Amino acid sequence: MPLRAEIVSVGTELLLGQIVDTNAAYLSRALSEIGITLHRRSTVGDNMERLLAALNEAMASADVVLTIGGLGPTMDDITRDGLAAALKDPLQLDENIADRLSDFFRQRNVPLVKSNLRQAMAPVYGRIIDNPNGTAPGLLFENLGRIGIALPGPPNEFIPMVDNHVIPYLSAKTGGVGAIRSLVLRVAGVGESLVEEMVKDLMLDSNPTVAPYAKVGEVHLRITARADTPEQAAELILDRATLVRARLGTSIYGENDTPIEGAVVELLRQRRETVSTAESCTGGLVAQRITDISGSSEVFPGGVVVYSNTAKTDLAGVPAETIARVGAVSQEVAGSLANGVRERFNSTYGIGITGIAGPTGGSPEKPVGLVYLAVSGADGCEVEKANYIGSRSIIRQRASQTALNMLRLRMLLTV
Amino acid sequence: MPLRAEIVSVGTELLLGQIVDTNAAYLSRALSEIGITLHRRSTVGDNMERLLAALNEAMASADVVLTIGGLGPTMDDITRDGLAAALKDPLQLDENIADRLSDFFRQRNVPLVKSNLRQAMAPVYGRIIDNPNGTAPGLLFENLGRIGIALPGPPNEFIPMVDNHVIPYLSAKTGGVGAIRSLVLRVAGVGESLVEEMVKDLMLDSNPTVAPYAKVGEVHLRITARADTPEQAAELILDRATLVRARLGTSIYGENDTPIEGAVVELLRQRRETVSTAESCTGGLVAQRITDISGSSEVFPGGVVVYSNTAKTDLAGVPAETIARVGAVSQEVAGSLANGVRERFNSTYGIGITGIAGPTGGSPEKPVGLVYLAVSGADGCEVEKANYIGSRSIIRQRASQTALNMLRLRMLLTV
């Protein structure tokens, strides 16, 4: 049976922005992986009237309503009573839980106050869900043809309860049928609109779906498929990914969580080649990204960060005369940085970057965002000119992204 | 006039749990700081029917409805049309934005596809909200006695628009009454438990509140005050901050959004001094952090990333004999890196870092997380040994944090 679900997160601290609702994202993903469609999520504060409104709206369109938070012992904790009222599944004291709570407090020499016993209330038609990491059990309500599941807010209690109880329970309810799988293809060097142009017919299909997401300096194409079994969903994904790959070719550099520096390090390792970096405006960002990948020491002997002109000359061998003639931000200096650092580290490739990251330092001829990027190799040096917009940090990020992609494409074109 | 607000986040990737909605938390907090009560947040997918249902529900009880996401150029991006329909404030092409978009694409030699022009649509009764970091402007709709504000999803676009446009605009609307102000004091070199010990009496007060938050390599102490006017709230904050500063002294390196590299660059500028870096395990992270600060070129001539032993010797003058005798991860090599790079760049200070970032490469004598950090200056070289725990990325982040804090304290102690 396909199930529709909604999530209601409860807590004034969420509405005040004091905490980020990572639990809701965790539960959303877990549900999607067993094929349960989520139509909406809501967040309300510790206020019974608004909680009831949200629960009633959710129950109007969903078979399962899951709540997060508001199960503590204090007066603020209203979720228990709210779900009982919304599902007309009343609460009664569960003697077993009450005994367990009493033991818990006695062992800690803490007096059990009356409000603690609120955590021993269980639904008459439903049941409790064990919480090995806290005092508040979860609650499962069942009535009116609906299921209500109340889970506590602390992630160390919440996550194991989702994994060990909620997902197996709901998965069995759906008969184990209905799986959603997804795959992200990561694209560099092509803008979002152009990517969309290339796959827009596929974006009209409802299964699998294909959707582009713009990131800094790259685009992620997410393919999502639904099927009766995980295997069928995986097959749908594979077919669609093959089609997308045929269209986008080498613009796709990797899948899922692999950043472009991961793809570059992997390529270098396969080819037993190395790269070194000479960075001005990116200030070490390319080196930092490469060395963020475990195992990068095999392919990256090192690099230089040459902010001052003297450093460009001393460490990367850029002729002082060139800088005087064409300026530090120029095609010549980018090329010279790449060639110089390649020679100094005796590496297969050299990357050179010089530009104006801003927000100050721009001029009409050389505006903020102007960056020259060079990749040098045995067969010569290629330089690109870019005009990025955005903050200093975005300009640097985009420049590092372009440089890494230039190196990647260079390797793909060099057998 | 007190305003009631609701937030609607839009995006199927949110409902699938593929991303965590940090934007909603950021906006919630910003609204609460200007005294705007949030009754509910909702999240819907890229589905017009459900978006309209959520917008209509929100408008039934709120004066201001803010949406996050769904403003891109693609067919998936439905928020623009949804808000226009819900507020009956139709869209028309804004020639200025269309021209700007055309220029943007021309400069990049990228063809402008028709869907890009969706980003040039503006509400008839409302107006656009500038987005300096992206192509999609925000939109402000005004009709039916309601305000609708549509903001783009990428956080680097979203956050500046909230700070620079939305909050000042709504703050003016509320007449500035009933104010909440907060201040973050940033603490380095002291763990969360110890910070808490030092301010735990203040944590019991309800106005202002004082709350510690643990971050990577630092602790943030947030002071929040409520009062009738912003001025009164600011005064409460100032008093409490003075008290906290008296207790924590030089462990507090800055306020609010200033990262420690910002404090270090500012100190160097005031002292007209310079620093250079020689990094092994941090791979350029310290250089990257310093150069992320605008104006760092005055104080940072450059640095070297010396991953291989050869590079340590060639670029930072570490004697090959020392590496052979005590190993690359050692107190001697850290000191030698700091001294060597200081000499090479002729800078006031030199930073040297060598360690094992993991996850592989550890041994019983030199486990993953062992890092030696050195700061060299005219009056000698100081080396610290650290044992960090965490992922490769966390170990590198903590090491860069410690090195920057060592330099900061060194300057504070050197008149």
Side-chain angles (χ1 to χ4, degrees), chain B residues 102-395:
Chain B
S102 302
D103 286 351
F104 176 87
F105 282 91
R106 202 172 20 248
Q107 277 172 19
R108 276 156 194 76
N109 284 316
V110 174
L112 178 81
V113 296
K114 202 174 154 214
S115 62
N116 289 121
L117 284 177
R118 297 186 53 183
Q119 298 191 320
M121 302 297 281
V124 170
Y125 306 128
R127 58 177 174 83
I128 66 147
I129 302 171
D130 272 337
N131 175 5
N133 299 316
T135 54
L139 301 173
L140 193 150
F141 297 86
E142 273 196 285
N143 200 14
L144 311 176
R146 297 277 182 282
I147 297 166
I149 296 177
L151 298 166
N156 68 305
E157 303 177 25
F158 172 83
I159 289 174
M161 292 168 81
V162 169
D163 291 349
N164 303 328
H165 295 285
V166 176
I167 292 302
Y169 170 79
L170 291 177
S171 187
K173 283 261 170 196
T174 62
V177 296
I180 302 186
R181 284 287 176 282
S182 68
L183 172 76
V184 173
L185 297 176
R186 299 173 70 124
V187 181
V190 187
E192 190 192 14
S193 310
L194 199 54
V195 170
E196 195 177 313
E197 273 299 301
M198 295 166 85
V199 298
K200 70 178 171 190
D201 54 324
L202 309 180
M203 289 170 62
L204 300 173
D205 288 351
S206 60
N207 190 30
T209 57
V210 174
Y213 298 93
K215 306 284 170 181
V216 176
E218 60 183 81
V219 178
H220 294 181
L221 268 178
R222 178 176 287 273
I223 305 175
T224 306
R226 292 158 195 269
D228 289 341
T229 68
E231 294 71 26
Q232 289 167 344
E235 200 172 321
L236 284 173
I237 295 255
L238 183 65
D239 286 355
R240 189 54 31 123
T242 305
L243 188 55
V244 172
R245 283 182 179 282
R247 296 187 187 179
L248 284 160
T250 56
S251 301
I252 296 174
Y253 73 76
E255 293 184 354
N256 295 328
D257 297 327
T258 310
I260 195 165
E261 54 270 31
V264 163
V265 167
E266 185 51 35
L267 267 175
L268 287 164
R269 286 175 66 157
Q270 286 169 9
R271 300 164 63 94
R272 298 171 190 277
E273 294 181 333
T274 58
V275 66
S276 56
T277 51
E279 305 179 64
S280 183
C281 67
T282 47
L285 180 56
V286 176
Q288 185 262 310
R289 290 182 65 174
I290 290 173
T291 58
D292 206 37
I293 306 299
S294 176
S296 51
S297 58
E298 286 176 40
V299 303
F300 183 73
V304 294
V305 181
V306 285
Y307 238 46
S308 70
N309 288 345
T310 315
K312 289 181 181 71
T313 300
D314 289 355
L315 279 99
V318 179
E321 174 275 321
T322 306
I323 299 176
R325 184 166 45 82
V326 290
V329 178
S330 59
Q331 182 175 331
E332 288 86 339
V333 169
S336 183
L337 285 169
N339 288 326
V341 79
R342 175 172 171 263
E343 209 168 293
R344 179 172 270 281
F345 286 91
N346 193 26
S347 53
T348 321
Y349 306 100
I351 287 176
I353 303 177
T354 179
I356 297 158
T360 59
S363 69
E365 299 77 38
K366 297 186 176 179
V368 168
L370 172 67
V371 181
Y372 291 92
L373 308 116
V375 174
S376 157
D379 52 352
C381 183
E382 165 204 22
V383 186
E384 277 189 24
K385 176 183 175 180
N387 284 288
Y388 302 109
I389 46 171
S391 65
R392 178 178 180 88
S393 154
I394 292 289
I395 288 169

Side-chain angles (χ1 to χ4, degrees), chain A residues 167-223:
Chain A
I167 293 302
Y169 170 78
L170 291 176
S171 187
K173 282 264 169 197
T174 63
V177 297
I180 300 189
R181 284 288 177 279
S182 68
L183 171 76
V184 173
L185 296 177
R186 299 173 69 126
V187 181
V190 186
E192 188 191 14
S193 306
L194 200 54
V195 170
E196 184 181 325
E197 277 295 303
M198 296 165 83
V199 298
K200 72 177 172 192
D201 54 325
L202 307 181
M203 288 171 63
L204 299 173
D205 287 351
S206 59
N207 191 30
T209 58
V210 174
Y213 298 96
K215 306 286 170 181
V216 176
E218 58 183 83
V219 177
H220 293 182
L221 267 180
R222 178 173 291 274
I223 306 174

Side-chain angles (χ1 to χ4, degrees), chain B residues 394-413:
Chain B
I394 292 289
I395 288 169
R396 283 156 49 97
Q397 188 68 28
R398 286 189 188 273
S400 71
Q401 189 78 8
T402 305
L404 289 164
N405 197 41
M406 284 172 69
L407 173 59
R408 184 181 72 88
L409 293 174
R410 173 74 158 258
M411 287 190 274
L412 293 183
L413 293 173

Side-chain angles (χ1 to χ4, degrees), chain A residues 82-403:
Chain A
L83 260 179
L87 273 107
K88 304 202 194 316
D89 184 357
L91 295 164
Q92 62 186 4
L93 189 77
D94 182 312
E95 298 290 349
N96 284 331
I97 311 175
D99 288 348
R100 223 188 301 158
L101 270 177
S102 302
D103 286 350
F104 178 87
F105 281 91
R106 201 173 20 247
Q107 279 168 18
R108 278 158 191 76
N109 283 317
V110 174
L112 178 81
V113 296
K114 203 174 154 211
S115 64
N116 289 121
L117 284 177
R118 296 184 55 181
Q119 299 191 319
M121 303 296 280
V124 170
Y125 306 129
R127 59 176 173 86
I128 66 150
I129 302 171
D130 272 337
N131 175 5
N133 299 314
T135 54
L139 301 173
L140 193 148
F141 297 86
E142 274 195 285
N143 200 14
L144 312 173
R146 297 277 183 282
I147 298 168
I149 296 178
L151 298 165
N156 68 310
E157 303 176 25
F158 173 83
I159 291 175
M161 291 167 81
V162 169
D163 291 349
N164 302 330
H165 296 285
V166 176
I167 293 302
Y169 170 78
L170 291 176
S171 187
K173 282 264 169 197
T174 63
V177 297
I180 300 189
R181 284 288 177 279
S182 68
L183 171 76
V184 173
L185 296 177
R186 299 173 69 126
V187 181
V190 186
E192 188 191 14
S193 306
L194 200 54
V195 170
E196 184 181 325
E197 277 295 303
M198 296 165 83
V199 298
K200 72 177 172 192
D201 54 325
L202 307 181
M203 288 171 63
L204 299 173
D205 287 351
S206 59
N207 191 30
T209 58
V210 174
Y213 298 96
K215 306 286 170 181
V216 176
E218 58 183 83
V219 177
H220 293 182
L221 267 180
R222 178 173 291 274
I223 306 174
T224 306
R226 291 156 198 269
D228 288 341
T229 66
E231 294 71 27
Q232 288 167 343
E235 201 172 319
L236 283 173
I237 295 255
L238 184 65
D239 285 355
R240 189 55 32 125
T242 305
L243 188 55
V244 172
R245 284 181 179 282
R247 295 189 188 178
L248 284 161
T250 56
S251 302
I252 295 173
Y253 73 77
E255 294 184 354
N256 295 328
D257 297 327
T258 310
I260 195 165
E261 54 269 31
V264 164
V265 167
E266 185 51 34
L267 268 175
L268 286 165
R269 285 175 66 157
Q270 286 168 8
R271 299 164 64 94
R272 298 173 191 276
E273 294 179 335
T274 58
V275 65
S276 55
T277 52
E279 303 179 65
S280 183
C281 66
T282 46
L285 180 55
V286 176
Q288 185 262 309
R289 289 181 66 174
I290 290 174
T291 58
D292 206 37
I293 305 299
S294 176
S296 51
S297 57
E298 284 176 41
V299 303
F300 183 73
V304 295
V305 181
V306 286
Y307 238 47
S308 72
N309 288 344
T310 316
K312 289 182 182 69
T313 302
D314 289 354
L315 278 98
V318 180
E321 173 275 320
T322 306
I323 299 177
R325 183 166 47 81
V326 290
V329 177
S330 59
Q331 182 175 331
E332 289 86 339
V333 168
S336 184
L337 285 170
N339 288 326
V341 77
R342 175 172 171 263
E343 209 167 296
R344 179 172 271 283
F345 284 93
N346 193 26
S347 52
T348 322
Y349 305 100
I351 287 176
I353 304 177
T354 179
I356 298 159
T360 60
S363 69
E365 299 76 38
K366 297 187 177 179
V368 168
L370 171 67
V371 180
Y372 292 92
L373 308 117
V375 172
S376 159
D379 52 352
C381 183
E382 165 204 22
V383 185
E384 276 189 24
K385 176 184 175 180
N387 284 286
Y388 302 110
I389 49 165
S391 64
R392 178 179 180 87
S393 153
I394 291 290
I395 288 169
R396 285 156 48 96
Q397 188 69 26
R398 286 189 190 274
S400 72
Q401 189 79 7
T402 305

